[in-house]
Amino acid sequence: MNAAAAIASPVSLERLPRRHQARVAQIDWSGLTLPEARRLRELGFDEGVDVEVLHRSPFGNGPIACRIGRMTVALRRAVAASVRVLPA
């Protein structure tokens, strides 16, 4: 198997399965409003940070609870879709 095939492609945080650890690969800052981008930065979201999805709303249209560091934060699905992660 070649090295390029061994590297997984980034997926959105919105699609990351529950209880799977991942690392933030990139954030589409241009797809976020200024307050959303500021909030993500204040919470510590940046490339290289470890993240884990803990819970999703039951009907698929509510927020996503995720862990970043020792914090648990809730993100709107549209915001979570702007965060691309590499599963660990």
Side-chain angles (χ1 to χ4, degrees):
M1 173 168 28
N2 73 29
I7 299 173
S9 61
V11 297
S12 75
L13 182 59
E14 177 188 27
R15 301 217 180 267
L16 185 69
R18 285 183 60 225
R19 300 292 181 186
H20 281 74
Q21 302 225 341
R23 179 159 289 156
V24 177
Q26 65 188 46
I27 299 173
D28 180 16
W29 298 111
S30 63
L32 300 169
T33 65
L34 213 53
E36 290 170 337
R38 184 179 319 121
R39 179 171 181 255
L40 280 186
R41 286 187 181 105
E42 289 171 351
L43 291 171
F45 275 86
D46 206 357
E47 285 81 7
V49 172
D50 291 331
V51 67
E52 176 185 7
V53 172
L54 299 175
H55 182 72
R56 288 186 169 79
S57 62
F59 299 109
N61 58 356
I64 296 172
C66 60
R67 178 173 298 148
I68 177 167
R70 295 185 309 171
M71 292 185 302
T72 300
V73 297
L75 299 175
R76 292 184 185 112
R77 286 190 183 260
V79 173
S82 295
V83 179
R84 308 287 290 175
V85 297
L86 287 171

